[in-house]
Amino acid sequence: MGNTIIEKIIKKNTGLSEVKPGQIVTVHVDRVMIHDIFIPFVADKFEEMGFDRLWDPDKVVLIYDHLVPASAVEDIRHFKIGDAFVKKYGLTHVHRSDGICHQLMTEAGYAGPGDIVFGTDSHTTTYGCVGCFSSGIGYTEMASILGTGEMWVKVPETIKVVINGTLPANVSAKDVILRLIGDLRADGATYKALEITGSAVDAMSVASRMTISNMAVEAGAKCCLFRPDEKTCQYTGTDLSEVDWIYGDEDAQYCQLIEYQAEDLVPVCACPSQVDNIHPVSDLVGTKLDQVFIGSCTNGRLEDLAEAARILDGRQTACKLIITPASRKIYLEAIEAGYMEILARAGAIITQPGCGLCCGRAGGILTDGETVLATNNRNFLGRMGTSKVGIYLGSPATAAISAIYGEIREPL
Amino acid sequence: MEKFTGKVWVLGDDIDTDIIIPTEYLALPTVEDMKQYGFSPLRPELAGQIHEGDIIVAGKNFGCGSSREQAPEIIKALKVKCVIAKSYARIFFRNSINNGLLLIENSEIQDAVKEGDEITVTLGECIEHNGRTYPVASLPDNLMDILRAGGLVKAMQQRNGLHS
């Protein structure tokens, strides 16, 4: 019998000749990511467990992003503890202001096709965009990996999602993943792997696939895998012949099959306050907005800023518009492409790359009774300010057109 | 088999980790400092009213959202005996076991209980409420090993020969 992508990756990693869903196996971890919020706790637990050295300092990446730049005095403690941990245990892969962890992990080449990577953040599922098995864990579990290089995992069942056809011009990867989450619901893929395939996916950039794998966790997924292709190889600097084993076999066993025809999809938003509360944008037109946010590890990439600039070129915003590129590299590319000037002239507030507003700590938090349309991945109560802020999640195109009118509009 | 009785607090479906502990409190130095804000976006009064040995009963997908381990730690710091939910989010489930917080999966009890009711749990066997019995499954051995050690830190300490 054939295997799904996740089964193949686990087989290769463990050397087992066969694995099946439900089986508990110990994997050798290829890379881990720790971010600034959790480094103090990871450091504590690591030493409390009795470890005195990392299993492999080269495999550990530390990224400051949630608290950069510090917006409260207590944030600085995280950097001090992180810096001390770096020095004491010899970490070499440290990013103190380069961007959001999930962008940097593939952008800087830390997570590649066929790898197994864990991070102290739920959106670690993002690296599945290049065919990497990546998933979020807590800091205690991270501390044990730092000491042992190993982790137990249950081999997940796989849901296969097939999207064939050509997406309408006003529908993006964000609309696709929101629709999928709405159909699966917030727990529809819990403990499971997603495998996304079809001609519409083949046509997508790696950046668009990243938007999908980033949000897969909002349906509970353990990981979300794409078959690496020429675009993946170009992005990751890999040779196709090294990764051509990463695909789901025709006769692999899937627990569920979901099919979409790309032409049938429409722009959608997740409405307050659940990511699976999905409605067509056409039903929401006219909803008044106090703020629009374009950015985050979900939609802060060059193609997202390009789309925003295309729509906002020569226009003026009617409400606050906050733009946060996902990394310094993207920030520079957007400057060079002229997008930042267009956005600034349209009235946008452009912030440094980081998590900022998306995790509700800084960069445009809101208060009771206010409404925001945002391109990030969560609209939970209290996520971007007080618990009485209404958060709609949508695509960069929906966000940009809505910023011009100060109310929700459907992109053309 | 361990058996205990507790008063229940009833919550709904999809109780996410931003509800259990909002991001704005995550930079407080300790879980003890954070615990007063537990569940505050949904029920600001709850953390102050929970007593030692109480039981949280919830719907499906409890603990969905971020990987913040403070979520199970706060429930433990509030001295909640266990959580009984229809289902759990994956990361929350792992984090709870790793911190020695007992989770029980049951699809019926949430619909049957009212807040303030008392229920009796017999581990690996059943929940009793108002004369009715609801069966519960036991956890896989590798997870029970971590729970029995008192969480992953203690399990690793044993591995590293710190103490038994």
Side-chain angles (χ1 to χ4, degrees):
Chain A
M1 196 181 67
N3 288 120
T4 64
I5 294 180
I6 187 67
E7 290 163 4
K8 286 186 177 180
I9 293 175
I10 291 174
K11 268 169 71 173
K12 186 156 192 286
N13 180 281
T14 57
L16 295 167
S17 57
E18 200 48 70
V19 296
K20 53 177 192 293
Q23 187 178 345
I24 289 173
V25 298
T26 300
V27 298
H28 307 283
V29 181
D30 293 306
R31 196 80 76 168
V32 293
M33 185 282 297
I34 307 161
H35 60 52
D36 49 3
I37 292 244
F38 290 151
I39 184 61
F41 300 93
V42 173
D44 260 9
K45 298 282 179 186
F46 181 73
E47 294 188 349
E48 199 184 337
M49 285 174 177
F51 293 113
D52 57 6
R53 67 180 67 101
L54 300 173
W55 107 96
D56 186 345
D58 187 51
K59 293 187 173 175
V60 182
V61 184
L62 176 63
I63 299 174
Y64 298 167
D65 56 0
H66 285 65
L67 308 174
V68 175
S71 56
V73 174
E74 60 261 34
D75 295 350
I76 301 162
R77 192 177 68 91
H78 292 241
F79 308 140
K80 301 265 191 214
I81 292 171
D83 288 353
F85 194 80
V86 166
K87 203 169 161 204
K88 188 166 176 186
Y89 296 105
L91 271 73
T92 51
H93 304 302
V94 184
H95 297 268
R96 292 184 174 85
S97 64
D98 296 328
I100 306 172
C101 58
H102 302 309
Q103 179 64 30
L104 295 177
M105 285 301 284
T106 54
E107 187 182 283
Y110 297 127
D115 288 347
I116 297 185
V117 177
F118 295 103
T120 57
D121 190 280
S122 56
H123 295 109
T124 301
T125 54
T126 307
Y127 329 144
C129 65
V130 296
C132 167
F133 167 28
S134 58
S135 202
I137 57 171
Y139 43 73
T140 303
E141 207 142 43
M142 179 58 73
S144 79
I145 296 178
L146 291 186
T148 65
E150 293 180 343
M151 184 160 115
W152 69 265
V153 295
K154 190 155 99 173
V155 180
E157 296 182 301
T158 299
I159 298 173
K160 185 176 185 175
V161 181
V162 184
I163 311 162
N164 280 319
T166 306
L167 290 174
N170 64 349
V171 174
S172 72
K174 180 58 161 281
D175 300 296
V176 172
I177 183 62
L178 288 176
R179 168 71 190 271
L180 179 61
I181 293 163
D183 291 347
L184 279 169
R185 308 311 306 256
D187 63 345
T190 298
Y191 309 130
K192 298 188 175 85
L194 291 175
E195 212 173 286
I196 318 271
T197 181
S199 60
V201 175
D202 295 340
M204 282 181 190
S205 64
V206 174
S208 289
R209 296 173 196 170
M210 210 178 286
T211 299
I212 293 176
S213 51
N214 175 274
M215 288 197 72
V217 71
E218 306 308 329
K222 178 181 236 158
C223 59
C224 176
L225 291 151
F226 290 81
R227 177 184 188 160
D229 59 8
E230 289 84 1
K231 285 183 252 190
T232 316
C233 290
Q234 196 185 357
Y235 179 67
T236 57
T238 318
D239 196 282
L240 195 57
S241 65
E242 293 167 33
V243 298
D244 57 5
W245 56 276
I246 306 171
Y247 62 92
D249 290 326
E250 282 299 319
D251 58 344
Q253 204 65 18
Y254 293 93
C255 66
Q256 192 180 346
L257 172 67
I258 299 174
E259 292 177 281
Y260 295 106
Q261 189 59 40
E263 289 79 3
D264 297 341
L265 299 174
V266 297
V268 293
C269 278
C271 298
S273 295
Q274 301 289 343
V275 185
D276 61 0
N277 184 14
I278 303 298
H279 295 274
V281 173
S282 57
D283 288 357
L284 305 168
V285 167
T287 305
K288 297 286 177 215
L289 298 172
D290 297 284
Q291 186 167 298
V292 169
F293 171 53
I294 299 174
S296 82
C297 55
T298 315
N299 277 121
R301 279 173 282 281
L302 193 65
E303 66 178 26
D304 303 317
L305 301 177
E307 182 68 351
R310 184 184 68 79
I311 292 167
L312 284 156
D313 194 4
R315 309 295 294 269
Q316 279 298 308
T317 60
C319 63
K320 282 192 287 289
L321 169 63
I322 292 169
I323 305 271
T324 304
S327 71
R328 180 188 306 285
K329 182 167 182 282
I330 292 166
Y331 199 145
L332 287 166
E333 287 168 352
I335 289 172
E336 282 157 19
Y339 305 148
M340 290 310 201
E341 183 174 348
I342 292 171
L343 295 169
R345 287 192 188 282
I349 303 164
I350 301 172
T351 79
Q352 80 291 344
C355 302
L357 180 57
C358 175
C359 68
R361 293 193 57 90
I365 54 172
L366 297 105
T367 190
D368 292 5
E370 290 195 303
T371 304
V372 57
L373 173 61
T375 65
N376 55 312
N377 42 38
R378 290 214 169 111
N379 61 348
F380 297 160
L381 286 177
R383 180 81 182 177
M384 297 169 93
T386 68
S387 57
K388 295 193 176 81
V389 176
I391 307 174
Y392 291 83
L393 304 179
S395 73
T398 303
I401 189 92
S402 300
I404 294 172
Y405 295 95
E407 59 182 45
I408 296 180
R409 292 288 181 106
E410 188 168 31
L412 302 171
Chain B
M1 196 55 78
E2 192 191 342
K3 189 170 177 169
F4 53 86
T5 298
K7 194 177 88 159
V8 303
W9 297 93
V10 183
L11 301 172
D13 290 339
D14 300 319
I15 299 298
D16 61 66
T17 52
D18 277 79
I19 286 175
I20 300 172
I21 181 69
T23 313
E24 59 184 305
Y25 306 117
L26 291 181
L28 293 176
T30 71
V31 171
E32 283 301 309
D33 298 313
M34 294 175 209
K35 71 178 185 186
Q36 60 182 305
Y37 304 107
F39 302 97
S40 57
L42 189 68
R43 296 194 39 189
E45 82 294 348
L46 192 61
Q49 294 179 353
I50 290 177
H51 287 100
E52 181 165 0
D54 288 355
I55 294 168
I56 290 176
V57 174
K60 63 185 177 62
N61 205 24
F62 189 85
C64 63
S66 90
S67 66
R68 65 192 63 173
E69 201 162 331
Q70 290 89 346
E73 284 199 296
I74 269 169
I75 297 173
K76 211 160 172 247
L78 290 169
K79 298 199 163 52
V80 169
K81 181 71 185 175
C82 73
V83 180
I84 306 173
K86 288 183 179 171
S87 64
Y88 297 94
R90 187 191 75 83
I91 301 174
F92 180 84
F93 185 85
R94 294 186 78 104
N95 285 342
S96 297
I97 302 299
N98 288 336
N99 283 282
L101 172 66
L102 178 63
L103 301 183
I104 296 172
E105 215 168 271
N106 181 277
S107 59
E108 297 174 294
I109 192 77
Q110 187 224 13
D111 300 320
V113 293
K114 293 192 309 294
E115 194 151 290
D117 286 359
E118 282 203 340
I119 60 174
T120 299
V121 176
T122 307
L123 275 191
E125 283 185 13
C126 65
I127 306 164
E128 293 161 70
H129 171 253
N130 273 352
R132 257 200 79 182
T133 301
Y134 304 83
V136 296
S138 51
L139 288 168
D141 286 347
N142 65 319
L143 301 189
M144 280 312 293
D145 288 345
I146 296 172
L147 271 178
R148 277 194 209 103
L152 187 59
V153 170
K154 291 211 171 68
M156 285 292 137
Q157 286 174 339
Q158 285 172 16
R159 174 192 183 277
N160 289 330
L162 280 193
H163 49 75
S164 60

